[in-house]
Amino acid sequence: VECAKISHYAIEKHKVVITVSAVAGVTAELIEIIDLAKNQKPRLVKVRLNDLEAQHMTILKGILGSHSYVNQIWQKEILPRFDNLRTILHGASLVGDITPKTEAKICSFGEKIACIFMRYALRDLNVRAQIVKAEKIIRTDSRYLEANLYLRNSFSACKKVLKPLLGRGIIPIIPGFVAKDTHGDNTLLGRGGSDFTAAIVAMAVKAAKIEIWTDVNGIMSADPRIVPDAFSWQELDLGIMSEMAYSGVKIVHPRSIELAIQKDIPVYVFNTFNRVFRGTKVDNSKTSGVKGIVSTSGNVLFNLKNPNMLDEIGFIADVTDIVQKEQISIDVCATSETSFSFSIKDANGSEKLLKALSDTCEVTMLRNVAKVCIIGNDITHDPSLFSTIFKIFAEQNIQIYTLSVSASRNNITFMIDDNDCKQTVNALHGKLISQKGE
């Protein structure tokens, strides 16, 4: 309802296209249910689906109040989707197998239901709105769970479908995160992909701006759960926001920022539940100094040593080939004359990767590693900053596993023990970021 009110206010001043995410926690819940199905737990799958169904019925009643047609809408538009979902997951739980194509179909459920909710919430505000299936306008390859966008085809489809609706004063409501491959199958744009959908649409219709409404006060100098003194920026440049997103800030999808940069479309990040907060404006204006300390925990660090690596051609290529075959993405990496270190974000598959790499060289694996990124424009060219950073690490007695400096010159990344993360991030924030954004 609150999202509909926000949209209604914008509609009074502008032509608007709405991209909708799933209800908070729903996609994560679906992923957990998928895991239960893979482990052949049909009873638990049934219980969790019943809970999910009850949650959505409560939301629908909250939107429509005591209207007599609540049950009619539920029976006609929502229950059949739950029945279909239940059939798919029950069958999968009996055999313990779900293909990526089926998983993509299941995970798109939350956004599609949320669109129905948004349409009825807007209807109560006398707003003419129409759901547009994302499959009609967002085209990708067949990497079902994190598909690559076919930009030109998507732009063409967006213009063809959306512009006539906007011309007739109808507000398109699009499920974010969801797309379609050339075979007509559901694909996904990766976790957090709803704002990526918004950026694709914004570029296609030549939007003046992108507004992202989330549950926090815009873009902050650090995670407030880790740094009590973290604050919100009023303005930030797109390049720094992109670096933050790739480093682990989950507020904005990294690829949405890339698209916005290409077309110089400003992005505004607001808090749905704090309308007093004026938001963070993200555009192409350059800012100076350190703007963020971004940290992620639970990384895995691989250290590879090979005495024969000295003057040898192709060793790192061999390593990356092995990683690619395991379908794992390398995050941070560093190299020396006879060693190569890299981290991965997800511990899943790390043991299998360790075994595969052990056939090539001497390798050790460290779990529970934190990535700490210091982010700001051209900071890698500031010798005094490095001096301050290393002094902080020395004062805190923090062991550094590896150090990486980005080619963009905007990111200095350290890998340290998870147990040292909180004190390190607080110390860095206190010394390196002083200009309040509020």
Side-chain angles (χ1 to χ4, degrees):
V1 174
E2 192 64 30
C3 292
K5 290 178 181 177
I6 291 167
S7 301
H8 184 236
Y9 177 76
I11 290 162
E12 291 177 346
K13 298 180 179 180
H14 310 282
K15 288 184 178 181
V16 172
V17 179
I18 300 171
T19 301
V20 179
S21 296
V23 172
V26 167
T27 303
E29 177 69 8
L30 288 168
I31 290 171
E32 290 184 14
I33 295 173
I34 287 169
D35 288 339
L36 290 172
K38 287 178 179 178
N39 290 314
Q40 295 183 279
K41 305 285 187 182
R43 290 184 181 179
L44 286 175
V45 167
K46 182 179 179 180
V47 169
R48 297 285 281 270
L49 281 174
N50 287 342
D51 290 344
L52 198 63
E53 187 175 327
Q55 177 190 2
H56 281 77
M57 173 55 103
T58 300
I59 294 170
L60 183 64
K61 288 179 177 177
I63 293 169
L64 298 177
S66 58
H67 288 304
S68 58
Y69 49 76
V70 169
N71 286 330
Q72 181 182 346
I73 291 170
W74 179 265
Q75 294 288 334
K76 183 180 178 181
E77 296 196 49
I78 298 176
L79 186 59
R81 294 176 181 271
F82 270 102
D83 289 342
N84 184 46
L85 183 65
R86 188 174 281 104
T87 299
I88 294 170
L89 282 163
H90 178 70
S93 66
L94 294 179
V95 297
D97 182 44
I98 297 180
T99 65
K101 181 166 74 173
T102 302
E103 191 169 339
K105 186 175 182 178
I106 293 168
C107 288
S108 67
F109 176 84
E111 275 72 14
K112 292 178 179 180
I113 294 292
C115 282
I116 297 173
F117 290 161
M118 177 60 85
R119 187 185 68 200
Y120 280 106
L122 287 171
R123 193 179 75 170
D124 268 12
L125 296 172
N126 297 315
V127 174
R128 295 173 66 204
Q130 179 176 318
I131 296 172
V132 175
K133 292 182 179 179
E135 295 91 336
K136 286 188 174 182
I137 59 173
I138 309 297
R139 308 290 166 77
T140 70
D141 64 10
S142 296
R143 287 186 64 198
Y144 295 104
L145 301 180
E146 194 157 355
N148 293 306
L149 177 69
Y150 290 156
L151 194 60
R152 185 175 298 176
N153 292 344
S154 298
F155 279 7
S156 176
C158 281
K159 291 174 185 176
K160 182 179 179 180
V161 174
L162 299 178
K163 286 195 172 182
L165 292 175
L166 292 170
R168 291 172 11 228
I170 298 172
I171 306 304
I173 306 172
I174 304 165
F177 180 51
V178 183
K180 180 181 76 171
D181 68 6
T182 54
H183 306 293
D185 295 319
N186 258 142
T187 60
L188 304 177
L189 298 175
R191 293 300 300 273
S194 291
D195 47 301
F196 187 31
T197 302
I200 297 165
V201 172
M203 286 187 71
V205 301
K206 298 182 179 179
K209 62 179 177 177
I210 300 169
E211 290 187 2
I212 295 173
W213 289 82
T214 181
D215 57 356
V216 295
N217 281 349
I219 310 302
M220 303 191 73
S221 56
D223 187 336
R225 295 169 299 182
I226 297 174
V227 181
D229 294 333
F231 54 85
S232 303
W233 294 108
Q234 290 183 11
E235 293 188 32
L236 207 61
D237 64 87
L238 285 164
I240 292 303
M241 185 62 247
S242 177
E243 198 77 52
M244 285 184 172
Y246 273 111
S247 298
V249 173
K250 297 180 180 179
I251 295 171
V252 182
H253 194 289
R255 287 185 286 178
S256 68
I257 293 297
E258 283 185 355
L259 291 181
I261 288 172
Q262 287 180 29
K263 292 295 183 180
D264 198 17
I265 301 174
V267 178
Y268 293 81
V269 184
F270 296 101
N271 188 340
T272 307
F273 307 104
N274 181 9
R275 303 287 291 280
V276 176
F277 174 66
R278 291 174 293 173
T280 300
K281 180 183 179 182
V282 187
D283 60 19
N284 270 326
S285 59
K286 284 282 186 179
T287 54
S288 61
V290 175
K291 295 299 179 184
I293 311 294
V294 180
S295 62
T296 60
S297 299
N299 301 276
V300 179
L301 182 65
F302 290 87
N303 294 308
L304 288 67
K305 293 183 180 180
N306 183 2
N308 298 324
M309 183 178 168
L310 187 63
D311 296 327
E312 182 179 339
I313 296 173
F315 172 70
I316 294 178
D318 291 340
V319 170
T320 54
D321 281 346
I322 292 170
V323 178
Q324 184 180 19
K325 286 176 183 176
E326 298 298 329
Q327 294 188 321
I328 294 173
S329 297
I330 289 176
D331 187 17
V332 178
C333 61
T335 185
S336 69
E337 292 285 357
T338 60
S339 67
F340 177 48
S341 299
F342 69 87
S343 69
I344 60 175
K345 297 177 182 178
D346 192 346
N348 292 334
S350 57
E351 291 291 343
K352 188 177 178 182
L353 180 58
L354 175 64
K355 185 177 180 181
L357 291 169
S358 296
D359 296 334
T360 305
C361 59
E362 178 186 338
V363 54
T364 58
M365 182 177 74
L366 286 175
R367 291 183 177 275
N368 302 316
V369 174
K371 179 177 73 171
V372 178
C373 303
I374 302 165
I375 296 171
N377 278 310
D378 294 325
I379 59 171
T380 64
H381 285 186
D382 185 352
S384 64
L385 177 62
F386 277 94
S387 175
T388 303
I389 292 169
F390 284 113
K391 184 178 180 182
I392 292 168
F393 275 97
E395 291 172 348
Q396 300 293 321
N397 194 28
I398 302 299
Q399 179 185 357
I400 300 170
Y401 292 148
T402 190
L403 162 66
S404 176
V405 177
S406 73
S408 69
R409 304 183 297 189
N410 295 342
N411 190 336
I412 304 168
T413 297
F414 297 88
M415 307 300 292
I416 62 175
D417 191 277
D418 267 347
N419 293 325
D420 297 327
C421 182
K422 185 173 182 178
Q423 73 177 87
T424 303
V425 171
N426 274 278
L428 290 168
H429 187 274
K431 290 284 181 68
L432 302 181
I433 304 181
S434 58
Q435 182 183 353
K436 288 279 179 114
E438 296 180 323

